[in-house]
Amino acid sequence: MSAHDVRTVRTNVRANVRTVPGPCAHWNDQDADFIREILDLVGDKWSVLIIGTLESGPIRYSDLADAIPGISQRMLTLTLKQLRRNGIVTRTTYPEVPPRVEYALTELGASLLATVLALAAWSADHHAEILRHQTSFDSATAT
Amino acid sequence: MSAHDVRTVRTNVRANVRTVPGPCAHWNDQDADFIREILDLVGDKWSVLIIGTLESGPIRYSDLADAIPGISQRMLTLTLKQLRRNGIVTRTTYPEVPPRVEYALTELGASLLATVLALAAWSADHHAEILRHQTSFDSATAT
DNA sequence: CGGTATCCAGATGGATACTG
DNA sequence: CAGTATCCATCTGGATACCG
C-alpha cells in the first residue's frame, strides 16, 4: 500500500512537469535535477532535524539549540539561514529585552516535513532488512 | 492528495514502530534515526543517480559509467559497493572473455527508487516556489 | 573490461572566543 | 539572548596511474 501511494505521487510529478501521466512512468534526466535540488535542501546534517523540531510550532533560537543535542551554534545559525533562504522557515524578531527570536515552519516547510516523514516511513519499514544485508555483506567480506 | 498519501504512509511508520496509529502523529526521536539512516543511504552525490539508471534493468559497469556523466570510476565503484552492502543492488559476474559484470536493482532497491521518486515529485511541485524564495531572499540580503 | 591504489583539493562542520 | 568570526580536523570526492 505504501508502494501504491508512492506510485500515485510519482505519476503526479510527471503530469505536472511534462504532462505525461500514465501508470508506468520511468526515471528521466529531469528527476536527477529534482533529486539534486531536494538533497541540497535536506541532505545535510541538521536541516531535517530542525524541520522536525519545528513541527510543534514556533520556537526560540535557544530552545531550538536545546532541543537538538549536539548541534553547534554555528551550524544552527547557518542551517536556519539556508532554510529561510529556501522559504522553509520564517524568522520573527520581537524587540524586547532580552531579545527574542522565533523560528517557525512555513506552509512549504510543513509540506516538506510531510515528504520527509514519508522517507522516514520507508526507512522504518525496511530498517531490519537493510541491517540484515549489511551484516551478511560484512561477514562475507571479512572472510 | 499528495499530502494525504504521505500522511497515510506516515501513520504506518508509527504503527510499525510504536503501535501508535491515529490521524495526527508527530515527529519523535525515532524519526530522526530513520532519517539519518536513509540519508546515509541516498544522501551522497551519486547513489540516487545510480539507482535511477538501474531502473531500466541490469546494466554493465562500463555502460553505467557512460550513463552517468561526470562520475569517476572511483566513486562508481565505491557507491556500488555501498548499495550492494545495503541490499539495494546486486552484482553478477559472467565468466567470459572479456569479463562482464552486471548490476541490477533488488526489490528493496526498487521500492527505494519509488520512495525517492516521491521526493522528486515534491521537488518538482515546489521547484518554482523555492526559486522565488531564493531570489527574493538574496536580493533582500544583498542590499 | 572492471576494477584498485594513491594523492590531493575543496567542502563540511565542530570548538572556541567574541559581540550587539 | 542570539548570534558572528576564526581556526582547524575530518570527510567527500576528483584525477591519475596502475592491475587481474
Side-chain angles (χ1 to χ4, degrees):
Chain A
M1 34 75 230
S2 154
H4 176 266
D5 291 346
V6 166
R7 203 177 321 271
T8 305
V9 176
R10 184 176 162 196
T11 318
N12 291 338
V13 212
R14 288 138 216 296
N16 286 341
V17 171
R18 358 145 74 191
T19 51
V20 180
C24 189
H26 284 279
W27 176 273
N28 61 70
D29 292 348
Q30 294 244 17
D31 290 326
D33 294 338
F34 291 131
I35 289 292
R36 297 266 196 201
E37 190 174 77
I38 201 176
L39 285 185
D40 283 349
L41 213 61
V42 300
D44 60 62
K45 192 169 179 182
W46 300 108
S47 288
V48 290
L49 272 310
I50 292 178
I51 294 171
T53 306
L54 287 174
E55 184 181 36
S56 323
I59 181 172
R60 302 177 61 150
Y61 180 88
S62 53
D63 292 338
L64 206 43
D66 292 343
I68 304 176
I71 195 171
S72 63
Q73 259 188 338
R74 176 187 138 91
M75 287 319 293
L76 180 55
T77 303
L78 242 59
T79 308
L80 282 171
K81 195 172 295 178
Q82 279 310 302
L83 293 176
R84 280 206 298 145
R85 186 173 113 90
N86 293 295
I88 306 301
V89 309
T90 56
R91 193 187 102 121
T92 314
T93 313
Y94 298 90
E96 309 169 353
V97 190
R100 180 162 58 105
V101 177
E102 280 190 351
Y103 290 88
L105 270 190
T106 61
E107 264 198 47
L108 183 63
S111 94
L112 177 56
L113 173 60
T115 304
V116 161
L117 281 168
L119 265 199
W122 186 91
S123 190
D125 281 348
H126 301 279
H127 174 71
E129 186 175 358
I130 290 172
L131 263 186
R132 280 196 292 99
H133 280 291
Q134 287 178 354
T135 51
S136 94
F137 182 93
D138 291 346
S139 67
T141 302
T143 44
Chain B
M1 34 77 229
S2 154
H4 176 266
D5 291 345
V6 167
R7 201 176 324 271
T8 306
V9 176
R10 184 176 163 195
T11 318
N12 291 336
V13 213
R14 288 138 216 297
N16 285 341
V17 172
R18 356 146 74 191
T19 51
V20 178
C24 191
H26 284 278
W27 174 274
N28 62 71
D29 292 349
Q30 295 246 18
D31 290 326
D33 294 338
F34 290 131
I35 289 291
R36 296 266 197 203
E37 189 175 77
I38 199 174
L39 285 185
D40 282 350
L41 213 61
V42 300
D44 61 60
K45 194 169 179 183
W46 300 108
S47 288
V48 289
L49 271 313
I50 292 178
I51 293 171
T53 305
L54 287 175
E55 184 181 36
S56 323
I59 180 173
R60 302 178 63 149
Y61 179 88
S62 53
D63 292 338
L64 205 44
D66 292 344
I68 304 175
I71 195 171
S72 63
Q73 258 188 340
R74 176 188 137 92
M75 288 319 294
L76 181 53
T77 303
L78 241 61
T79 308
L80 281 171
K81 195 173 295 179
Q82 279 311 302
L83 293 177
R84 278 206 297 146
R85 186 174 113 91
N86 293 296
I88 307 302
V89 309
T90 56
R91 192 187 104 121
T92 314
T93 312
Y94 298 90
E96 309 170 353
V97 190
R100 180 162 59 106
V101 177
E102 280 191 350
Y103 290 89
L105 271 189
T106 62
E107 262 198 49
L108 182 63
S111 95
L112 177 56
L113 173 61
T115 305
V116 160
L117 280 167
L119 264 200
W122 186 92
S123 190
D125 281 348
H126 302 280
H127 173 71
E129 186 175 358
I130 290 173
L131 264 186
R132 280 196 292 99
H133 280 291
Q134 288 179 352
T135 52
S136 93
F137 183 93
D138 290 346
S139 66
T141 302
T143 44

